Amino acid sequence: MPAREPPHTHGSRGDLQFRPPGPGPPQPGAPRARPRKIVFEDELPSRALPCTQKPVESIPGEHVPRPHPVPDYELKYPPVSSERERSCYAAVFRDQYSEFLELQQELRSAQAKLQQLEALLTSLPPPQSQKEAQVAARVWREFEKKRTDPGFLDKQARCCYLKGKLRHLKAQIQKFDSRGDSEGSVYF
């Protein structure tokens, strides 16, 4: 049985629902490339079984909730209100996405090396002499120094910030696109 294609609705803004946050619509006569969808790992549905979820516990009476600071990008990038603003948001997304990918790759590489080193250090046999114990202690200190290096921690924080900002920009663009598609549609 042939697969059915979903109905295609045309609104006042045309085919924007399938358009990624990038340059304008495709040119007539040009072959349509399938847009790449950017999805972060933690946006994927979780695979936890419903029976393995922890029960919700009550909040203790002495608990005082702390205010959560609003990230600056949520204030700087409010909901998109025009095509021009959408293209600006998309340009910021493209620019910062490349930085995010570079940082993420660098951090993954560094974390993999740290994990290998930690596995190697934990697999060492117990020291047989005082000198071996001193060498092992010095190696562990160097390992901890590298793991808590301020430059490394700053890169981790920047990567986390960029991920939140990109997710916010993506959501704002998608909200605008879906709002625009429904404005010109007529339902019976």
Side-chain angles (χ1 to χ4, degrees), residues 98-147:
S98 60
E99 179 187 353
F100 170 74
L101 289 178
E102 287 177 25
L103 261 178
Q104 191 177 42
Q105 182 63 34
E106 190 177 324
L107 287 172
R108 281 185 180 159
S109 173
Q111 287 170 338
K113 288 177 184 176
L114 286 173
Q115 287 174 348
Q116 287 175 349
L117 182 58
E118 185 176 24
L120 179 68
L121 289 173
T122 55
S123 68
L124 289 176
Q128 300 295 325
S129 67
Q130 182 70 19
K131 187 174 183 175
E132 284 181 10
Q134 288 173 346
V135 169
R138 189 173 65 238
V139 171
W140 273 105
R141 280 193 304 274
E142 287 297 317
F143 168 75
E144 284 299 317
K145 187 190 281 186
K146 288 188 185 297
R147 202 170 60 115

Side-chain angles (χ1 to χ4, degrees), residues 19-22 38 40 43 71-82 84-100 158 160-178:
R19 187 171 60 162
I38 299 170
F40 296 104
E43 288 182 327
D72 65 338
Y73 52 80
E74 287 187 15
L75 300 173
K76 187 174 180 180
Y77 299 101
V80 181
S81 59
S82 68
R84 184 170 184 228
E85 199 171 35
R86 182 199 186 280
S87 65
C88 289
Y89 281 31
V92 171
F93 183 95
R94 282 190 307 273
D95 180 49
Q96 303 231 319
Y97 186 65
S98 60
E99 179 187 353
F100 170 74
R158 175 71 178 161
C160 184
Y161 171 82
L162 283 174
K163 186 174 186 176
K165 183 176 182 178
L166 293 170
R167 184 176 287 147
H168 177 74
L169 288 168
K170 177 181 164 184
Q172 298 295 40
I173 291 169
Q174 287 175 339
K175 284 178 192 173
F176 178 73
D177 289 349
S178 66

